[in-house]
Amino acid sequence: MIALYLSPWSSNTALVYLGLLPAVVALESGVRVAAVTAILTPVSVLVGLLVGGSAWSAAVYIAALCLAVAWSYTRGWEGPATYVASQAALAAIAVPGTTLVDGAPNSPTSALVVAAFVLLGGLWVAFIGSFFLDDLPHRDRETPTRRDLYRFALTLTALAFVGTLAAKLVLPGGHAWWVLLTIFVVLQPGIAGSTTRTLHRVLGTVGGGLVAAVLVNLIGINTLTTAIGVIIAVLSGIAYLKAPYWAFAALLTAALMCLSFTPETVMYGYAERAGFTLLGALAVAVVLSVTDLILKQTSKAHPQPTKSSEQND
């Protein structure tokens, strides 16, 4: 990112970060998974850009990716799968372009150039990871039960489908994709894990974004704030591997704020992103509450399975 920032292509630095982040997350599952993620991320972004012209096509595409995310939990690949899907949502809703191509951002030529920058970021992570991070310790994760996984798949697909339609048809501006980002990163199989992740997400996003917005506004020099954003972006990758989730969310938000906004637009941009994050968190909280209520009512009407049958499930 630093090398690109110092090059004539510096305006495309944020596009490289779209490929860096999922690949860094994938390193927990091994260098091979990171390499596959490095390829799947630009493909998902490319398709997202091409279908982003239609709200319904975008919603169907994101819903299909939700099923892939749910399946990834059976293999322990939910981290990279979640961020691949979130980058696809960004492409389909925000439709990022490149300064190297004239014309619409979702034109085939522009989409291919954007995907190339995303691919560059992911392959760089996989290349460096193969030399220095091939023995990265893996986090222990519990495989969700089949019932929890089915419920998660249904909930995520429904929320993402409706959220994509809302972002394309109702909510203002391309930053509405943060609603989808919040849904993807906080919703997990099991209500307890989703509640904790939601609190961390809101705390990190609102806090980290506010600090970055004030910093950008006070410094007032675009080149300097972009350089700071590059450094924070690098730190966010380290935070994902070493720090609590709220710290990662704070650094990730701060990096994107510094890379995406000028001093004139940063406060409005912060208000938008914080608001969309809260909206996504609220949607998840409401759906989980309703789901929990339905499950409790169902458990009263039907006896719970025995412990042995649940283990077999």
Side-chain angles (χ1 to χ4, degrees):
M1 289 186 69
I2 293 173
L4 186 62
Y5 173 69
L6 297 175
S7 76
W9 296 349
S10 59
S11 59
N12 299 283
T13 303
L15 300 178
V16 173
Y17 189 60
L18 300 184
L20 281 169
L21 181 59
V24 168
V25 171
L27 283 173
E28 277 193 315
S29 301
V31 174
R32 290 184 179 180
V33 177
V36 173
T37 302
I39 296 173
L40 290 179
T41 305
V43 171
S44 70
V45 168
L46 176 64
V47 176
L49 287 169
L50 295 178
V51 304
S54 166
W56 289 96
S57 297
V60 170
Y61 172 56
I62 300 303
L65 289 179
C66 290
L67 299 178
V69 171
W71 171 83
S72 71
Y73 275 84
T74 65
R75 307 300 298 269
W77 298 339
E78 63 272 14
T82 296
Y83 282 98
V84 168
S86 68
Q87 307 303 53
L90 182 153
I93 296 171
V95 195
T98 173
T99 56
L100 300 180
V101 177
D102 295 328
N106 58 352
S107 67
T109 303
S110 180
L112 284 170
V113 174
V114 169
F117 278 109
V118 177
L119 177 64
L120 175 64
L123 290 181
W124 176 250
V125 170
F127 175 74
I128 294 299
S130 65
F131 288 98
F132 300 107
L133 297 172
D134 58 331
D135 58 347
L136 195 68
H138 296 193
R139 295 183 187 179
D140 294 329
R141 291 186 173 92
E142 294 184 6
T143 303
T145 64
R146 187 180 301 175
R147 183 173 56 183
D148 284 342
L149 200 56
Y150 285 161
R151 186 168 65 242
F152 166 76
L154 179 62
T155 305
L156 179 63
T157 302
L159 276 172
F161 182 81
V162 175
T164 303
L165 287 179
K168 297 291 287 185
L169 300 175
V170 180
L171 300 175
H175 299 307
W177 82 273
W178 276 59
V179 174
L180 272 296
L181 174 61
T182 301
I183 291 171
F184 273 119
V185 300
V186 305
L187 192 62
Q188 299 178 351
I191 293 176
S194 297
T195 301
T196 301
R197 182 61 73 93
T198 300
L199 293 174
H200 281 216
R201 177 70 187 177
V202 171
L203 175 64
T205 300
V206 174
L210 179 59
V211 171
V214 172
L215 186 66
V216 170
N217 197 45
L218 288 177
I219 293 176
I221 304 174
N222 290 344
T223 54
L224 182 56
T225 56
T226 302
I228 293 173
V230 170
I231 295 172
I232 297 176
V234 174
L235 293 177
S236 70
I238 300 172
Y240 180 84
L241 301 174
K242 293 290 186 179
Y245 180 75
W246 66 264
F248 165 69
L251 289 171
L252 173 62
T253 304
L256 294 175
M257 294 296 295
C258 291
L259 291 170
S260 304
F261 295 103
T262 65
E264 296 77 20
T265 62
V266 69
M267 296 309 295
Y268 178 77
Y270 167 70
E272 264 197 330
R273 295 195 174 199
F276 288 140
T277 297
L278 291 172
L279 181 60
L282 179 62
V284 171
V286 169
V287 170
L288 289 180
S289 298
V290 172
T291 302
D292 189 37
L293 180 61
I294 294 174
L295 290 176
K296 288 180 179 179
Q297 294 297 327
T298 304
S299 64
K300 291 179 181 179
H302 303 281
Q304 291 290 327
T306 63
K307 186 175 181 180
S308 59
S309 65
E310 195 170 272
Q311 288 176 344
N312 291 333
D313 211 20

